[in-house]
Amino acid sequence: MSTPSLLTLHAAVSGGGSLLAATLELDYPNKPGALRGVSFDIEAGEIVGLIGESGSGKSSVAMCLMRLLRARGTRLRGSIRFDGRDLLASSEREMRRIRGRDIGLVLQSPLASLNPMLRVGAQMAEAWRAHRSTSNEQMRGEIARAMEMVSLPSTDEFLRRYPRQLSVGLAQRVLIAMAILHRPKLLIADEPTSALDVITSAEILKLFARLNRELGMAILFISHDLLSVAALCHRVAIMKSGELVECAPAARIFAAPAHPYTRELVAALPRMPGAPDQLPVSSTNLSTAIEKMAGLP
Amino acid sequence: MLRWSAVAALLAILAAGLFANWIAPHGYADQDRESPNLSPSRQYPLGTDELGRDRFSRLLYGTRVSLLLAPAAAAISIAVAVALGGFTAYAGAGWARASSLVTDLMLSLPTILILLTVRAMLPLNVSALASIVITCVLIGALNYPPAARVIGAGVDALLKSDFILQARATGQSPGRILIRQLMPGIRPVLIAQFWLLVPVFVMAEANLSLLGLGVSEPMPSWGNLLRELENYSAIPERPWVLAPLGVLMVTVLCLYAILPSGEPA
Amino acid sequence: MALRFLAKHAVRLVLTVLIAGLLGAALVRIAPAFGVSEQELDPRLSREFVQGQRPEPVGILRYYGQFLYGVAHGDFGESPSLQRPIGELLRERLPVSLENLAFGAGAGIVLGFLCAMVAVVFRSPLARAVPVASSTVLLSLPSAALGLLFLLAGWPPAMALTAVVFPRVYRYSAAVLARSADASHVLAARARGVSPGRILCVHVLPGAAPQLLAIVGMAISLGFPALVPIEAVCDSPGVMQLALKAAMARDLPLLVVLTMVASVVVLIGNAAADISSDVLRRES
Ligand SMILES: Nc1ncnc2c1ncn2[C@@H]1O[C@H](COP(=O)(O)OP(=O)(O)OP(=O)(O)O)[C@@H](O)[C@H]1O
Ligand SMILES: [Mg+2]
C-alpha cells in the first residue's frame, strides 16, 4: 500500500462494481509514453478530481476514455471498462452511441468547442438528435430542462444567438447543458473553470456539485487547480508527466500526501494568514475556506 | 530513416547518370544503321531505337541531363525570387510595390504560354548544349513567382521579428544584420523552396522536350526519350521501350516527394 | 458591397490582360522575324500596300493601340503562319478547349473532393493509401506523357486533363479538410456522438468551403495551360494545340493573342473562386 502503483492497482481490482475502471498506455507519434500505466476507477455517483501540471496528460486521459484519438500513429493500449462494457474492444459505431449518451464530455476551451457558424439552438438540437428521434416539442422541452439546470435562459432569443455573441461563461454553460442533455452516467469535464473569472468559476463548481447531487452523475473533474478540486471532489488523482502518482480521498491528500510531488503541490498552496510557516494550512481549515469560497454546503 | 534511404537511392541514380561516360556501353549519338528497332540483347540491353541507337545508353545520358538541369533551373528560380521577393521586403516601399506587381502579373499569366512565346523568339536550330542552357534558364527564370511570394513573406516576418529589432537596438549595421541575422533565418525557407521546385522542373523539362521545344536531338533527356511514345503504337508489345524510363521517372519523383518531409506525403 | 467587389475583380482582370497584351506586343515588336508579320497584323493596311512598301518602324505603343483597336472591332489580326484571321481560328477552336477544360477539370475536381472527403470521414489506411498512391504516380508523370498514354488507351484528351487535375485537387483539399476537421468544435461534435456524415456536412465542409472554392479556381487556372501538351499530343483541335503550332512556326501575333485568351480564362477562374469564397466568408 505504500507505493502509488500498488494503491491504484488495488483500487482497480477491488472496484469490480465501479462505473469506470481504466488502465491507459498512450503513445503519440511525436511523444511516446504520453500516458504510462495510468490506472484509476470511478464509482457511480462519485466525483473524482484529476490534477496535474500543464502537459502532464490530463486531456489525453479524457480523449482516451472517449476513444476520440484517431490521428495516424497514435497508439492506445490498456483497458477501459465502463458500465460492464469493454470500450477498447467496442467498434466505432458502438462508441458513437456511448459518446454523448452514456459519457458526456466538456472540452477545454469553451468558445472554440462551439461551431462558430451554427446557432446555439441548432447545436443543442444536433446534440439531442444524435441519440434520439423524438418530436420537436419533446426535444424543445428536454433542451429547456437542461438549460434551466445550468441556469441558462431557454428563450428563443438566446437559442438564436451565435457562439460569438456569448461570453466564455455562457459558452461553458451551453457546453455543459449539451453534455448533460442525455443524462450520461459519467461526465468528463476538462478544465471547465480555468478560462473563467473567480466568481463565474465558483458558480460552475457549484453547478457541478448540484448535477452530481440531483442527477447522481459521476464526474471526472480535470483541473490544474488543487483548491477547486479539493472543494468539489470525493477523491483526487494526481498526474505528473504521463503517470498517476497518487489517488486518494481529498482530505488525505492534504493531511498525509504520500508522494513527494503531491507534497510539493500542497506546499505550493497559498498560506492562510496566521498559519505556521513551514506547514500548509490544515486540511479542515482549508476545505472549509474553500467551501465558503465556492459556496458549497 | 525513410529519408536517408531516399537520399541514398537518389544519389545512386544520379551517380549512374553522372558516370554515364563509363557505364554506358555506347555513346548517346552512336548509330548502328544496320540494326534499328532491335529487341533487348546482350549488346543492347534495352534494344535500339529507330536510328539504331542503344536505348540503355541514351537512358543513362538522359538521366544525367534531366537530373542536372532541374536543380540548376531551381537555383536560377531561387536566385530570381530572392532578388525580386527577398529584397522587396528589405529594399523599401517603391521597389516592393513594383516587383510585387510584376510577380502578380506573372502569377496570373499561364507560364507555359509565356514559355512558348519566349522560346519561339529564340532560335530553334541550336546546338544541343545551347538548347540545354536555354531550357534551363527559361524554366528557371519564368517560374520564380511562387517562390518569390513565399520568400518575400519569410523575409517580411523575419524583419518584423523581435530578434532583428534587438539587433537594430544594439546598433548593428544593416549589412551586418543582413549577413548575420537575415541570411541564416531565411535559409530554411530557401532550401524548402528549392526542393519543392526540383521535381516540378523535372516535369517541366520533360513536357517541353516532349513537345520539341526543350533539349534538342541528338542529346537525350527524359522528355526527348518520351517522344518514342509517339512512334510506337505497339507499346504494350514492346514494354522495354518505355517501361524503364517510366519506372525511373516515377521513382525519382516519388523520392523527391519524400525528401523534404521524410514522409511520403 | 457585392457590386464593388465584382467591379474590383473586373478591373483587375482587364488591367492584367491589357498589361499582358502590352508585354506581348513588345515581344512581337522586338522579335527578330518581325518585319512582315507587323504589317499583316495591321488591319488598316491592305496586302498590296504592304507589298508595295518597305516596312516602316512603328512604336510599340502605337502598334499596341492599333492592335487593341482591332480587337475592339472583333478583329484579332491575321496569323502569318496559317494565313488566316486569328478571330476565325479562335471561334473554331476555343469551344473545343473549353469543353476539354469543363469535362476534364470538372471530373478531376469532383473526383479529388470525393476522395478527400472519404479520406477524412473514414480514417482507414485504405481510404488514404489508394488516392495518395495514385496521385503520387500521376504527379510523377508529365502531362504530355499522360496525354500520350491516354491516347494509346483510346481515351479522350479530357480524361488526361482529369489525370492532371485530380492529384493536385486531392492533395490540397485533403489538407484543407484535415485542418478543418482538426478544429476543436469538430472534436466536440464527435464527443457528442454526432454521425460522421453530419460532421462532414455541417461541421467540416462549411468551415473549409472558402478554401475549397479557391481550389476550384486553382484547378481551372492550372488545367487550362495544361491543355497545351495534352491537346498537342492527342491531336485535339483546340486553341492550346494551336499555341504549340504557333510556337513551332514562330507565329508571334497568334501566340500573343492566345496568351491573352488563356490569361482571361485563368483569371476568370481565379476571380470567380475569389469572389464566391469572399462572399462565403462574409456570410459566416
Ligand atoms: N494530438 C497530439 N499529438 C501529439 N502530442 C500531443 C497531442 N495532444 C497532446 N500531446 C502531447 O501530450 C502531452 C500531454 O498533453 P495533454 O493535452 O494531455 O496535457 P494536459 O495535462 O491536458 O495539459 P494542459 O493543462 O495544458 O491542458 C503534451 O506534452 C502534449 O504536447
Ligand atoms: Mg488539457
Side-chain angles (χ1 to χ4, degrees), chain A residues 63 66 68 70-72 92 96 99-100 103 105 107 109 112-118 126-127 130-131 164 175 178, chain C residues 120-123 128 181 183-196 198-199 202-203 206-207 283-284:
Chain A
M63 294 293 129
M66 300 278 271
L68 282 170
R70 52 173 200 176
R72 270 191 309 151
E92 179 63 22
R96 220 168 66 221
R99 290 179 198 140
I103 307 180
L105 175 63
L107 283 176
S109 43
S113 302
L114 289 169
N115 187 336
M117 281 170 284
L118 287 183
E126 177 184 65
H131 298 289
R164 60 169 178 270
L175 285 170
M178 273 196 263
Chain C
V120 166
V121 173
F122 307 101
R123 296 224 167 169
R128 243 185 70 86
S184 198
H185 67 83
V186 177
L187 182 67
R190 288 210 300 132
R192 271 172 234 134
V194 178
S195 68
R198 199 179 150 83
I199 288 196
V202 177
H203 296 280
E283 269 178 9
S284 64

Side-chain angles (χ1 to χ4, degrees), chain B residues 247-265:
Chain B
V247 170
L248 190 63
M249 213 161 165
V250 172
T251 312
V252 165
L253 287 161
C254 289
L255 290 176
Y256 273 127
I258 291 172
L259 267 193
S261 64
E263 205 185 316

